[in-house]
Amino acid sequence: MKNIISDLKSQFLKYDIDGYIIPQNDEFFSEYSNKDRLKKISNFTGSAGYAVILKNRNYLFVDSRYTIQAQLESGKKFKILNYEDIFNCKIFKNLVIGIDPNLFTSIQIKKIFTYNKIKLIKENLIDNIIKFKNKNPKPFYSLEKKIVGEGHKNKLYKIIKYLKKNNLDYIFITAPENVAWLLNIRGVDNPNSPIPNCHLLIDKKNNLYLICEKKKAKKIIVEKKISEKQVIEFGNFEKLIKDLKGNKMIIDYKTCSLFFETVLRKKFKILKK
């Protein structure tokens, strides 16, 4: 069995970093994910935590629910610390810590990295080592109106009304559960709940852009809930933003990743809610 920690540390020189941080969440900020990088690096199976891998020491930050569990699962290779201690942590003071900007929000960055520098690394260093199984993507599906209680067009109308009232050009909805509610769709991208891994961009003129794998949108395209042109692959997100017109964008500060926020700030004035 390969030593994942050693393989991770072997990349530090290439990226000129002193350490790397692995959160429990994935790119969609799901508590449980089919791509559990934290478990792979630490063997920790809890639902919340951060692993901080430095050149000469490994730390695992978990809350009080998991103290004993973390010690049993990860104590041989990690020093177990309280979850709250990662905020303003002096253990890695003045060090350059690498992160995947898709896995953190700007709010998290401000809280965690007070005493050291961060380096945004475009590729995920765990993914460079481990090839997660890319299961055949199953399409999103719609729920009937009698089940959800309110049609998606009426929900969209409320969003657009809010945008116009507050003089906003766009809203970028990053949390998959919010997209699920708004469009009355579900998916099978999460091991424990019917979450559709996607994001949604809406403008004040009722134009929609669903950011997801196109294969997953095929059913809702057939239903004419959204057109094929409105489905944007993740890799084309930056081009989409570049081509948009307008000035103001509202985002969810809890689930809009640092990557997305950085892309949006190049073009828009951002309002966080």
Side-chain angles (χ1 to χ4, degrees):
M1 182 178 178
K2 64 163 62 177
N3 190 324
I4 299 174
I5 295 176
S6 295
D7 288 348
L8 173 61
K9 291 182 180 183
S10 69
Q11 300 180 77
F12 287 4
L13 182 62
K14 175 183 177 181
Y15 294 100
D16 194 22
I17 55 177
D18 301 303
Y20 192 71
I21 185 167
I22 303 102
Q24 197 280 334
N25 61 273
D26 64 5
E27 294 88 339
F28 297 92
F29 292 86
S30 301
E31 188 177 44
Y32 293 97
S33 168
N34 289 321
K35 190 183 285 187
D36 194 339
R37 299 180 179 96
L38 182 60
K39 180 182 177 182
K40 290 292 185 182
I41 197 73
S42 67
N43 200 44
F44 174 63
T45 59
S47 65
Y50 293 95
V52 179
I53 311 295
L54 304 180
K55 291 177 180 178
N56 301 313
R57 198 73 189 268
N58 310 317
Y59 298 93
L60 180 63
F61 295 83
V62 298
D63 65 46
S64 56
R65 293 174 296 167
Y66 297 121
T67 305
I68 296 173
Q69 177 183 335
Q71 193 63 51
L72 291 171
E73 293 178 338
S74 314
K76 289 182 180 180
K77 295 184 178 180
F78 287 80
K79 181 176 177 59
I80 311 302
L81 295 175
N82 186 283
Y83 191 77
E84 295 297 324
D85 291 340
I86 196 170
F87 300 110
N88 300 324
C89 184
K90 295 183 181 180
I91 291 173
F92 31 97
K93 184 178 180 180
N94 298 325
L95 299 179
V96 178
I97 305 295
I99 68 164
D100 180 346
N102 292 286
L103 305 181
F104 292 87
T105 66
S106 58
I107 299 297
Q108 287 176 306
I109 297 301
K110 288 178 182 178
K111 287 182 177 180
I112 297 174
F113 299 102
T114 302
Y115 296 103
N116 53 283
K117 299 176 182 178
I118 63 164
K119 186 168 187 178
L120 307 183
I121 300 175
K122 190 173 183 180
E123 58 260 57
N124 187 284
L125 300 194
I126 302 297
D127 293 359
N128 286 350
I129 305 165
I130 302 168
K131 302 303 178 186
F132 290 93
K133 291 181 181 179
N134 187 14
K135 297 179 180 179
N136 187 32
K138 294 183 179 179
F140 304 150
Y141 58 94
S142 292
L143 298 179
E144 295 179 25
K145 186 176 178 180
K146 65 181 181 181
I147 295 174
V148 296
E150 184 178 11
H152 73 283
K153 290 183 179 180
N154 195 45
K155 294 177 181 179
L156 287 169
Y157 170 76
K158 294 177 182 178
I159 295 288
I160 293 160
K161 186 178 179 181
Y162 178 88
L163 292 177
K164 290 179 178 179
K165 182 180 178 181
N166 292 275
N167 194 30
L168 295 163
D169 297 301
Y170 299 90
I171 180 170
F172 185 40
I173 303 169
T174 36
E177 61 268 27
N178 290 341
V179 182
W181 175 84
L182 187 59
L183 295 183
N184 293 333
I185 62 173
R186 299 293 187 269
V188 289
D189 296 321
N190 190 292
N192 300 304
S193 57
I195 297 296
N197 278 352
C198 60
H199 312 296
L200 186 66
L201 186 70
I202 307 171
D203 73 13
K204 62 184 179 183
K205 296 180 180 179
N206 198 24
N207 294 308
L208 310 179
Y209 300 96
L210 186 67
I211 293 87
C212 69
E213 293 179 53
K214 282 200 173 182
K215 289 181 180 179
K216 293 183 180 180
K218 61 183 182 181
K219 281 188 177 181
I220 59 176
I221 290 173
V222 171
E223 295 170 355
K224 296 184 178 179
K225 182 167 281 186
I226 199 163
S227 72
E228 189 172 354
K229 290 182 179 179
Q230 292 173 303
V231 180
I232 309 298
E233 292 275 358
F234 295 108
N236 295 327
F237 179 77
E238 291 186 69
K239 184 181 184 304
L240 169 68
I241 298 304
K242 187 178 180 181
D243 293 340
L244 294 178
K245 297 180 180 179
N247 299 305
K248 296 179 182 178
M249 173 91 65
I250 184 171
I251 65 173
D252 179 356
Y253 68 91
K254 290 184 178 180
T255 60
C256 185
S257 70
L258 187 60
F259 168 78
F260 282 133
E261 186 176 337
T262 302
V263 172
L264 295 174
R265 282 194 181 280
K266 292 178 182 178
K267 180 104 181 235
F268 295 98
K269 181 179 179 181
I270 300 297
L271 177 65
K272 296 183 180 182
K273 285 283 188 179

